[in-house]
């Protein structure tokens, strides 16, 4: 895998790296490593669902806040259809 430069990524990712020295991807990998360490040999269960749920809810909350509650603007920010956003907001009990 190619090593990314400090200038790569979105402005938000770059700002985050400047503050913490860690990209979102690195944070997820660190959290997963900690999760497996905490399991102490127990088998993981539904890892994909656990991670997507943990990331999706705060992402939706952030987008809605950033868009001032405007679902069309939030959907555009996320790069998804407004109807998809509405469905996800309902699934996460955010609407």
């Amino acid at each position: 895998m190619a090593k990314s430069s400090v200038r790569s990524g979105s402005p938000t990712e770059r700002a985050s790296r400047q503050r913490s020295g860690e990209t979102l991807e690195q944070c997820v990998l660190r959290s997963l490593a900690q999760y497996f360490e905490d399991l102490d040999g127990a088998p993981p269960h539904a890892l994909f669902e656990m991670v997507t749920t943990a990331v999706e809810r705060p992402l939706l909350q952030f987008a809605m806040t950033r868009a001032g509650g405007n679902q069309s603007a939030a959907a555009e920010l996320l790069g998804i259809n407004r109807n998809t956003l509405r469905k996800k907001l309902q699934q996460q009990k955010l609407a």
Side-chain angles (χ1 to χ4, degrees):
M1 181 177 356
K3 187 176 179 181
S4 62
S5 70
V6 175
R7 292 182 165 261
S8 68
S10 73
T12 303
E13 288 174 322
R14 289 192 304 269
S16 176
R17 278 195 298 268
Q18 289 171 355
R19 283 192 296 273
S20 70
E22 185 175 58
T23 65
L24 181 57
E25 182 178 2
Q26 290 167 330
C27 180
V28 170
L29 291 171
R30 181 180 45 77
S31 295
L32 284 169
Q34 183 64 53
Y35 172 73
F36 274 86
E37 190 175 310
D38 292 346
L39 284 175
D40 198 29
H45 177 72
L47 187 61
F48 183 81
E49 182 180 349
M50 179 190 74
V51 172
T52 53
T53 299
V55 172
E56 187 175 63
R57 184 175 178 82
L59 178 61
L60 294 170
Q61 289 172 321
F62 177 85
M64 288 299 294
T65 299
R66 183 81 179 199
N70 183 313
Q71 289 184 0
S72 294
E76 186 175 332
L77 175 67
L78 293 167
I80 62 176
N81 181 285
R82 186 173 55 91
N83 289 330
T84 301
L85 174 61
R86 284 181 167 196
K87 179 179 157 189
K88 290 182 176 293
L89 290 171
Q90 290 173 344
Q91 289 171 342
Q92 294 290 339
K93 296 179 176 42
L94 296 172

PDB file of all heavy atoms in Angstrom, residues 56-57 60 64 71-72 74-75 78 80-95:
ATOM      1  N   GLU A  56     -21.679   5.217  11.317  1.00  0.00           N
ATOM      2  CA  GLU A  56     -22.791   5.837  10.602  1.00  0.00           C
ATOM      3  C   GLU A  56     -23.569   6.836  11.457  1.00  0.00           C
ATOM      4  O   GLU A  56     -23.868   7.947  11.004  1.00  0.00           O
ATOM      5  CB  GLU A  56     -23.744   4.770  10.056  1.00  0.00           C
ATOM      6  CG  GLU A  56     -24.826   5.338   9.156  1.00  0.00           C
ATOM      7  CD  GLU A  56     -25.669   4.256   8.531  1.00  0.00           C
ATOM      8  OE1 GLU A  56     -26.356   3.516   9.288  1.00  0.00           O
ATOM      9  OE2 GLU A  56     -25.649   4.146   7.297  1.00  0.00           O
ATOM     10  N   ARG A  57     -23.878   6.482  12.668  1.00  0.00           N
ATOM     11  CA  ARG A  57     -24.688   7.369  13.517  1.00  0.00           C
ATOM     12  C   ARG A  57     -24.014   8.727  13.749  1.00  0.00           C
ATOM     13  O   ARG A  57     -24.629   9.765  13.497  1.00  0.00           O
ATOM     14  CB  ARG A  57     -25.023   6.673  14.835  1.00  0.00           C
ATOM     15  CG  ARG A  57     -25.934   7.494  15.730  1.00  0.00           C
ATOM     16  CD  ARG A  57     -26.327   6.704  16.980  1.00  0.00           C
ATOM     17  NE  ARG A  57     -27.149   7.502  17.855  1.00  0.00           N
ATOM     18  CZ  ARG A  57     -28.457   7.694  17.721  1.00  0.00           C
ATOM     19  NH1 ARG A  57     -29.114   7.112  16.733  1.00  0.00           N
ATOM     20  NH2 ARG A  57     -29.129   8.448  18.570  1.00  0.00           N
ATOM     21  N   LEU A  60     -23.961  10.765  10.471  1.00  0.00           N
ATOM     22  CA  LEU A  60     -25.261  11.364  10.160  1.00  0.00           C
ATOM     23  C   LEU A  60     -25.536  12.568  11.059  1.00  0.00           C
ATOM     24  O   LEU A  60     -26.009  13.612  10.588  1.00  0.00           O
ATOM     25  CB  LEU A  60     -26.382  10.329  10.308  1.00  0.00           C
ATOM     26  CG  LEU A  60     -26.370   9.171   9.314  1.00  0.00           C
ATOM     27  CD1 LEU A  60     -27.386   8.111   9.723  1.00  0.00           C
ATOM     28  CD2 LEU A  60     -26.611   9.652   7.901  1.00  0.00           C
ATOM     29  N   MET A  64     -26.003  16.385   9.619  1.00  0.00           N
ATOM     30  CA  MET A  64     -27.233  17.142   9.871  1.00  0.00           C
ATOM     31  C   MET A  64     -26.934  18.438  10.622  1.00  0.00           C
ATOM     32  O   MET A  64     -27.502  19.482  10.317  1.00  0.00           O
ATOM     33  CB  MET A  64     -28.233  16.287  10.649  1.00  0.00           C
ATOM     34  CG  MET A  64     -28.867  15.180   9.816  1.00  0.00           C
ATOM     35  SD  MET A  64     -29.807  15.818   8.400  1.00  0.00           S
ATOM     36  CE  MET A  64     -31.130  16.676   9.250  1.00  0.00           C
ATOM     37  N   GLN A  71     -32.009  18.440   5.344  1.00  0.00           N
ATOM     38  CA  GLN A  71     -31.722  17.097   4.862  1.00  0.00           C
ATOM     39  C   GLN A  71     -31.146  17.088   3.453  1.00  0.00           C
ATOM     40  O   GLN A  71     -30.276  16.278   3.148  1.00  0.00           O
ATOM     41  CB  GLN A  71     -32.968  16.216   4.932  1.00  0.00           C
ATOM     42  CG  GLN A  71     -33.355  15.871   6.352  1.00  0.00           C
ATOM     43  CD  GLN A  71     -34.527  14.917   6.423  1.00  0.00           C
ATOM     44  OE1 GLN A  71     -35.071  14.495   5.411  1.00  0.00           O
ATOM     45  NE2 GLN A  71     -34.930  14.581   7.638  1.00  0.00           N
ATOM     46  N   SER A  72     -31.609  17.978   2.596  1.00  0.00           N
ATOM     47  CA  SER A  72     -31.069  18.036   1.234  1.00  0.00           C
ATOM     48  C   SER A  72     -29.592  18.408   1.259  1.00  0.00           C
ATOM     49  O   SER A  72     -28.770  17.801   0.559  1.00  0.00           O
ATOM     50  CB  SER A  72     -31.841  19.036   0.377  1.00  0.00           C
ATOM     51  OG  SER A  72     -33.162  18.586   0.184  1.00  0.00           O
ATOM     52  N   ALA A  74     -27.532  18.059   3.833  1.00  0.00           N
ATOM     53  CA  ALA A  74     -26.800  16.976   4.495  1.00  0.00           C
ATOM     54  C   ALA A  74     -26.557  15.820   3.528  1.00  0.00           C
ATOM     55  O   ALA A  74     -25.470  15.247   3.494  1.00  0.00           O
ATOM     56  CB  ALA A  74     -27.554  16.492   5.726  1.00  0.00           C
ATOM     57  N   ALA A  75     -27.573  15.487   2.741  1.00  0.00           N
ATOM     58  CA  ALA A  75     -27.430  14.410   1.754  1.00  0.00           C
ATOM     59  C   ALA A  75     -26.363  14.770   0.733  1.00  0.00           C
ATOM     60  O   ALA A  75     -25.534  13.924   0.360  1.00  0.00           O
ATOM     61  CB  ALA A  75     -28.764  14.137   1.067  1.00  0.00           C
ATOM     62  N   LEU A  78     -22.962  14.379   2.254  1.00  0.00           N
ATOM     63  CA  LEU A  78     -22.607  12.970   2.378  1.00  0.00           C
ATOM     64  C   LEU A  78     -22.428  12.269   1.028  1.00  0.00           C
ATOM     65  O   LEU A  78     -21.863  11.180   0.970  1.00  0.00           O
ATOM     66  CB  LEU A  78     -23.675  12.229   3.188  1.00  0.00           C
ATOM     67  CG  LEU A  78     -23.775  12.631   4.657  1.00  0.00           C
ATOM     68  CD1 LEU A  78     -25.064  12.085   5.261  1.00  0.00           C
ATOM     69  CD2 LEU A  78     -22.559  12.163   5.423  1.00  0.00           C
ATOM     70  N   ILE A  80     -25.013  11.271  -0.857  1.00  0.00           N
ATOM     71  CA  ILE A  80     -26.068  10.259  -0.993  1.00  0.00           C
ATOM     72  C   ILE A  80     -27.378  10.952  -1.355  1.00  0.00           C
ATOM     73  O   ILE A  80     -27.526  12.154  -1.222  1.00  0.00           O
ATOM     74  CB  ILE A  80     -26.248   9.417   0.298  1.00  0.00           C
ATOM     75  CG1 ILE A  80     -26.664  10.297   1.488  1.00  0.00           C
ATOM     76  CG2 ILE A  80     -24.979   8.633   0.612  1.00  0.00           C
ATOM     77  CD1 ILE A  80     -26.957   9.520   2.768  1.00  0.00           C
ATOM     78  N   ASN A  81     -28.332  10.163  -1.793  1.00  0.00           N
ATOM     79  CA  ASN A  81     -29.657  10.642  -2.141  1.00  0.00           C
ATOM     80  C   ASN A  81     -30.407  11.061  -0.877  1.00  0.00           C
ATOM     81  O   ASN A  81     -30.241  10.448   0.182  1.00  0.00           O
ATOM     82  CB  ASN A  81     -30.395   9.507  -2.868  1.00  0.00           C
ATOM     83  CG  ASN A  81     -31.763   9.868  -3.315  1.00  0.00           C
ATOM     84  OD1 ASN A  81     -32.684   9.945  -2.498  1.00  0.00           O
ATOM     85  ND2 ASN A  81     -31.927  10.073  -4.610  1.00  0.00           N
ATOM     86  N   ARG A  82     -31.242  12.089  -0.979  1.00  0.00           N
ATOM     87  CA  ARG A  82     -31.999  12.570   0.179  1.00  0.00           C
ATOM     88  C   ARG A  82     -32.900  11.477   0.755  1.00  0.00           C
ATOM     89  O   ARG A  82     -33.045  11.357   1.976  1.00  0.00           O
ATOM     90  CB  ARG A  82     -32.843  13.788  -0.201  1.00  0.00           C
ATOM     91  CG  ARG A  82     -33.537  14.433   0.998  1.00  0.00           C
ATOM     92  CD  ARG A  82     -34.216  15.738   0.627  1.00  0.00           C
ATOM     93  NE  ARG A  82     -35.138  15.599  -0.474  1.00  0.00           N
ATOM     94  CZ  ARG A  82     -36.440  15.329  -0.346  1.00  0.00           C
ATOM     95  NH1 ARG A  82     -36.960  15.163   0.844  1.00  0.00           N
ATOM     96  NH2 ARG A  82     -37.204  15.226  -1.410  1.00  0.00           N
ATOM     97  N   ASN A  83     -33.491  10.672  -0.102  1.00  0.00           N
ATOM     98  CA  ASN A  83     -34.343   9.585   0.395  1.00  0.00           C
ATOM     99  C   ASN A  83     -33.524   8.550   1.163  1.00  0.00           C
ATOM    100  O   ASN A  83     -33.989   7.994   2.158  1.00  0.00           O
ATOM    101  CB  ASN A  83     -35.105   8.923  -0.757  1.00  0.00           C
ATOM    102  CG  ASN A  83     -36.179   9.823  -1.312  1.00  0.00           C
ATOM    103  OD1 ASN A  83     -36.750  10.649  -0.595  1.00  0.00           O
ATOM    104  ND2 ASN A  83     -36.460   9.698  -2.601  1.00  0.00           N
ATOM    105  N   THR A  84     -32.313   8.297   0.708  1.00  0.00           N
ATOM    106  CA  THR A  84     -31.422   7.385   1.423  1.00  0.00           C
ATOM    107  C   THR A  84     -31.083   7.960   2.788  1.00  0.00           C
ATOM    108  O   THR A  84     -31.085   7.248   3.793  1.00  0.00           O
ATOM    109  CB  THR A  84     -30.132   7.136   0.610  1.00  0.00           C
ATOM    110  OG1 THR A  84     -30.486   6.575  -0.657  1.00  0.00           O
ATOM    111  CG2 THR A  84     -29.180   6.200   1.343  1.00  0.00           C
ATOM    112  N   LEU A  85     -30.813   9.254   2.828  1.00  0.00           N
ATOM    113  CA  LEU A  85     -30.525   9.905   4.101  1.00  0.00           C
ATOM    114  C   LEU A  85     -31.713   9.777   5.045  1.00  0.00           C
ATOM    115  O   LEU A  85     -31.543   9.417   6.213  1.00  0.00           O
ATOM    116  CB  LEU A  85     -30.173  11.384   3.896  1.00  0.00           C
ATOM    117  CG  LEU A  85     -29.989  12.192   5.187  1.00  0.00           C
ATOM    118  CD1 LEU A  85     -28.847  11.633   6.033  1.00  0.00           C
ATOM    119  CD2 LEU A  85     -29.784  13.656   4.865  1.00  0.00           C
ATOM    120  N   ARG A  86     -32.909  10.058   4.550  1.00  0.00           N
ATOM    121  CA  ARG A  86     -34.111   9.945   5.395  1.00  0.00           C
ATOM    122  C   ARG A  86     -34.249   8.543   5.974  1.00  0.00           C
ATOM    123  O   ARG A  86     -34.535   8.370   7.164  1.00  0.00           O
ATOM    124  CB  ARG A  86     -35.365  10.285   4.596  1.00  0.00           C
ATOM    125  CG  ARG A  86     -35.530  11.743   4.364  1.00  0.00           C
ATOM    126  CD  ARG A  86     -36.802  11.996   3.605  1.00  0.00           C
ATOM    127  NE  ARG A  86     -37.090  13.415   3.650  1.00  0.00           N
ATOM    128  CZ  ARG A  86     -38.244  13.933   3.354  1.00  0.00           C
ATOM    129  NH1 ARG A  86     -39.246  13.167   2.991  1.00  0.00           N
ATOM    130  NH2 ARG A  86     -38.422  15.234   3.414  1.00  0.00           N
ATOM    131  N   LYS A  87     -34.026   7.544   5.143  1.00  0.00           N
ATOM    132  CA  LYS A  87     -34.125   6.143   5.577  1.00  0.00           C
ATOM    133  C   LYS A  87     -33.093   5.860   6.673  1.00  0.00           C
ATOM    134  O   LYS A  87     -33.405   5.262   7.699  1.00  0.00           O
ATOM    135  CB  LYS A  87     -33.909   5.217   4.377  1.00  0.00           C
ATOM    136  CG  LYS A  87     -33.955   3.752   4.691  1.00  0.00           C
ATOM    137  CD  LYS A  87     -33.757   2.953   3.415  1.00  0.00           C
ATOM    138  CE  LYS A  87     -33.243   1.584   3.719  1.00  0.00           C
ATOM    139  NZ  LYS A  87     -32.839   0.856   2.519  1.00  0.00           N
ATOM    140  N   LYS A  88     -31.864   6.323   6.459  1.00  0.00           N
ATOM    141  CA  LYS A  88     -30.805   6.089   7.439  1.00  0.00           C
ATOM    142  C   LYS A  88     -31.086   6.836   8.744  1.00  0.00           C
ATOM    143  O   LYS A  88     -30.825   6.306   9.829  1.00  0.00           O
ATOM    144  CB  LYS A  88     -29.447   6.477   6.866  1.00  0.00           C
ATOM    145  CG  LYS A  88     -28.973   5.531   5.773  1.00  0.00           C
ATOM    146  CD  LYS A  88     -27.609   5.914   5.266  1.00  0.00           C
ATOM    147  CE  LYS A  88     -27.113   4.905   4.260  1.00  0.00           C
ATOM    148  NZ  LYS A  88     -26.855   3.583   4.854  1.00  0.00           N
ATOM    149  N   LEU A  89     -31.606   8.043   8.658  1.00  0.00           N
ATOM    150  CA  LEU A  89     -31.958   8.806   9.851  1.00  0.00           C
ATOM    151  C   LEU A  89     -33.040   8.071  10.652  1.00  0.00           C
ATOM    152  O   LEU A  89     -32.983   8.015  11.885  1.00  0.00           O
ATOM    153  CB  LEU A  89     -32.431  10.212   9.486  1.00  0.00           C
ATOM    154  CG  LEU A  89     -31.368  11.173   8.964  1.00  0.00           C
ATOM    155  CD1 LEU A  89     -32.011  12.446   8.428  1.00  0.00           C
ATOM    156  CD2 LEU A  89     -30.331  11.493  10.020  1.00  0.00           C
ATOM    157  N   GLN A  90     -34.018   7.500   9.968  1.00  0.00           N
ATOM    158  CA  GLN A  90     -35.066   6.744  10.633  1.00  0.00           C
ATOM    159  C   GLN A  90     -34.497   5.470  11.264  1.00  0.00           C
ATOM    160  O   GLN A  90     -34.846   5.128  12.396  1.00  0.00           O
ATOM    161  CB  GLN A  90     -36.195   6.407   9.663  1.00  0.00           C
ATOM    162  CG  GLN A  90     -37.006   7.634   9.267  1.00  0.00           C
ATOM    163  CD  GLN A  90     -38.017   7.342   8.175  1.00  0.00           C
ATOM    164  OE1 GLN A  90     -37.935   6.326   7.495  1.00  0.00           O
ATOM    165  NE2 GLN A  90     -38.959   8.263   7.992  1.00  0.00           N
ATOM    166  N   GLN A  91     -33.628   4.773  10.527  1.00  0.00           N
ATOM    167  CA  GLN A  91     -33.026   3.545  11.056  1.00  0.00           C
ATOM    168  C   GLN A  91     -32.220   3.816  12.318  1.00  0.00           C
ATOM    169  O   GLN A  91     -32.224   3.008  13.248  1.00  0.00           O
ATOM    170  CB  GLN A  91     -32.104   2.902  10.005  1.00  0.00           C
ATOM    171  CG  GLN A  91     -32.829   2.285   8.853  1.00  0.00           C
ATOM    172  CD  GLN A  91     -31.889   1.865   7.726  1.00  0.00           C
ATOM    173  OE1 GLN A  91     -30.741   2.312   7.645  1.00  0.00           O
ATOM    174  NE2 GLN A  91     -32.379   1.009   6.856  1.00  0.00           N
ATOM    175  N   GLN A  92     -31.546   4.946  12.354  1.00  0.00           N
ATOM    176  CA  GLN A  92     -30.724   5.312  13.510  1.00  0.00           C
ATOM    177  C   GLN A  92     -31.518   6.065  14.575  1.00  0.00           C
ATOM    178  O   GLN A  92     -30.961   6.518  15.577  1.00  0.00           O
ATOM    179  CB  GLN A  92     -29.539   6.181  13.046  1.00  0.00           C
ATOM    180  CG  GLN A  92     -28.544   5.475  12.162  1.00  0.00           C
ATOM    181  CD  GLN A  92     -27.742   4.434  12.925  1.00  0.00           C
ATOM    182  OE1 GLN A  92     -27.628   4.473  14.146  1.00  0.00           O
ATOM    183  NE2 GLN A  92     -27.180   3.494  12.202  1.00  0.00           N
ATOM    184  N   LYS A  93     -32.828   6.206  14.331  1.00  0.00           N
ATOM    185  CA  LYS A  93     -33.726   6.916  15.257  1.00  0.00           C
ATOM    186  C   LYS A  93     -33.251   8.351  15.506  1.00  0.00           C
ATOM    187  O   LYS A  93     -33.244   8.844  16.626  1.00  0.00           O
ATOM    188  CB  LYS A  93     -33.873   6.149  16.560  1.00  0.00           C
ATOM    189  CG  LYS A  93     -34.549   4.790  16.374  1.00  0.00           C
ATOM    190  CD  LYS A  93     -34.661   4.054  17.664  1.00  0.00           C
ATOM    191  CE  LYS A  93     -35.397   2.753  17.586  1.00  0.00           C
ATOM    192  NZ  LYS A  93     -35.176   1.861  16.500  1.00  0.00           N
ATOM    193  N   LEU A  94     -32.852   8.998  14.409  1.00  0.00           N
ATOM    194  CA  LEU A  94     -32.421  10.392  14.459  1.00  0.00           C
ATOM    195  C   LEU A  94     -33.454  11.321  13.826  1.00  0.00           C
ATOM    196  O   LEU A  94     -33.231  12.535  13.785  1.00  0.00           O
ATOM    197  CB  LEU A  94     -31.072  10.558  13.738  1.00  0.00           C
ATOM    198  CG  LEU A  94     -29.898   9.821  14.377  1.00  0.00           C
ATOM    199  CD1 LEU A  94     -28.675   9.893  13.487  1.00  0.00           C
ATOM    200  CD2 LEU A  94     -29.603  10.389  15.748  1.00  0.00           C
ATOM    201  N   ALA A  95     -34.537  10.770  13.322  1.00  0.00           N
ATOM    202  CA  ALA A  95     -35.586  11.601  12.692  1.00  0.00           C
ATOM    203  C   ALA A  95     -36.930  11.267  13.284  1.00  0.00           C
ATOM    204  O   ALA A  95     -37.171  10.248  13.844  1.00  0.00           O
ATOM    205  CB  ALA A  95     -35.632  11.345  11.194  1.00  0.00           C
TER     206      ALA A  95
END
